[in-house]
């Protein structure tokens, strides 16, 4: 499926260039209308990232997110610096159908395995953001500011035989650049881990990229900037995915 994505800072819809808070573009102050327009075009799942909460956990936008979710008839997955059981419970309480776990999946994997057991694999998405160095898929953490020194494969090995079902993988070099997705990466991951529903993220700028990703074997494509900048409509993206 095609999953529209919105990043929120202080209630505004923004995009960061490769995770850099100083390279920020503001699109709108009304995420509900934006999401509704995509739902009207056929979107059944949405992706929302609380960048304020990721940067400043004490300022997590739970009340604002709850207000958004109560107005939307779609499944929402929410991420952004989630670190504790209380964070997860608050998001489920606000109406999220899934939570997206990033750095904590690498730094505290025992805790995340416990959460997967508690809430189940359909409720948890791991977000593994990678930089590729000499063919090594190195996982970045802390808003892409730090290299975890762990490969994607070593992280996935830890979660073998767990409840894990959904992984969102971003090639950081492609994020926000509209330069095309790393199709070869996702093809490799889909073949190597066939039981995982991979969500591809980063680089989508035209319908040809979506068609290529469908052929790679991923379960879903996350797209944000391309939709915000009207490179294509959600309806066009969905039709492309269905027909690829």
């Amino acid at each position: 499926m095609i999953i529209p994505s919105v990043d929120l800072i202080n209630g505004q819809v923004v995009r960061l260039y490769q995770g850099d808070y100083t390279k920020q573009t503001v699109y709108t102050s009304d995420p509900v209308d934006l999401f509704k327009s995509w739902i009207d075009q056929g979107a059944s799942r949405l992706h929302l990232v609380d960048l304020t909460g990721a940067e400043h956990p004490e300022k997590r936008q739970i009340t604002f997110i709850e207000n958004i979710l109560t107005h939307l008839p779609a499944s929402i997955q929410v991420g952004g610096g989630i670190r504790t059981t209380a964070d997860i419970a608050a998001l489920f309480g606000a109406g999220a159908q899934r939570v997206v776990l990033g750095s904590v999946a690498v730094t505290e994997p025992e805790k995340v395995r416990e959460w997967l057991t508690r809430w189940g694999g359909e409720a948890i998405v791991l977000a593994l953001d990678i930089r590729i160095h000499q063919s090594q898929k190195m996982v970045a953490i802390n808003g892409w500011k730090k290299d975890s020194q762990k490969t994607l494969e070593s992280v996935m090995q830890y979660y073998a035989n767990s409840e894990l079902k959904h992984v969102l993988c971003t090639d950081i070099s492609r994020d926000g650049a509209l330069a095309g997705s790393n199709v070869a990466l996702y093809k490799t991951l889909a073949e190597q881990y066939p039981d995982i529903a991979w969500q591809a993220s980063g680089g989508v700028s035209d319908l040809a990229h979506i068609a290529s990703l469908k052929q790679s074997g991923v379960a879903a494509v996350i797209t944000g900037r391309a939709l915000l900048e009207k490179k294509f409509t959600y309806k066009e993206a969905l039709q492309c995915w269905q027909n690829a």
Side-chain angles (χ1 to χ4, degrees):
M1 66 172 62
I2 305 296
I3 305 178
S5 174
V6 156
D7 296 346
L8 294 178
I9 293 181
N10 300 326
Q12 294 184 308
V13 176
V14 306
R15 287 292 294 171
L16 305 183
Y17 179 71
Q18 297 190 3
D20 189 339
Y21 279 75
T22 68
K23 296 178 180 178
Q24 178 185 138
T25 302
V26 177
Y27 289 93
T28 179
S29 297
D30 195 343
V32 172
D33 273 359
L34 194 59
F35 274 145
K36 282 184 175 178
S37 72
W38 292 329
I39 292 169
D40 288 344
Q41 294 176 66
S44 59
R45 184 171 297 280
L46 307 167
H47 181 79
L48 188 156
V49 182
D50 178 3
L51 289 178
T52 298
E55 185 80 349
H56 303 288
E58 73 281 1
K59 297 181 180 179
R60 196 173 296 282
Q61 301 172 90
I62 292 292
T63 301
F64 186 72
I65 290 171
E66 182 173 16
N67 183 59
I68 292 173
L69 302 191
T70 57
H71 290 86
L72 298 175
S75 298
I76 319 288
Q77 58 184 42
V78 183
I82 299 167
R83 299 172 175 85
T84 67
T85 303
D87 291 339
I88 296 175
L91 286 171
F92 284 141
Q97 276 71 46
R98 289 179 182 160
V99 297
V100 181
L101 306 177
S103 298
V104 70
V106 180
T107 60
E108 299 183 76
E110 299 89 352
K111 181 186 293 186
V112 173
R113 281 187 68 113
E114 291 174 3
W115 291 337
L116 281 163
T117 299
R118 175 175 175 178
W119 278 292
E122 287 299 331
I124 303 287
V125 181
L126 297 196
L128 302 180
D129 305 324
I130 64 170
R131 291 187 174 93
I132 300 175
H133 299 293
Q134 298 179 342
S135 300
Q136 292 289 303
K137 307 177 192 75
M138 305 306 299
V139 180
I141 57 175
N142 297 349
W144 302 350
K145 299 183 184 80
K146 183 179 177 182
D147 188 337
S148 69
Q149 304 298 317
K150 295 182 180 180
T151 65
L152 182 146
E153 290 85 356
S154 68
V155 175
M156 291 298 295
Q157 178 60 38
Y158 182 82
Y159 290 99
N161 303 314
S162 74
E163 296 293 322
L164 181 64
K165 293 178 180 168
H166 298 275
V167 179
L168 192 169
C169 182
T170 301
D171 178 348
I172 294 170
S173 70
R174 307 293 181 107
D175 185 75
L178 298 177
S181 299
N182 189 339
V183 175
L185 166 68
Y186 297 115
K187 187 174 187 297
T188 297
L189 294 177
E191 291 173 350
Q192 191 171 358
Y193 306 99
D195 295 332
I196 298 295
W198 291 94
Q199 298 180 7
S201 174
V204 173
S205 65
D206 61 38
L207 296 177
H209 295 152
I210 289 173
S212 295
L213 285 167
K214 176 67 177 290
Q215 297 301 321
S216 76
V218 298
V221 176
I222 306 286
T223 180
R225 183 180 170 190
L227 286 173
L228 292 169
E229 297 188 357
K230 304 185 188 307
K231 303 294 184 182
F232 45 75
T233 66
Y234 181 84
K235 185 176 181 179
E236 289 171 338
L238 181 61
Q239 289 175 339
C240 177
W241 176 262
Q242 292 170 337
N243 296 329

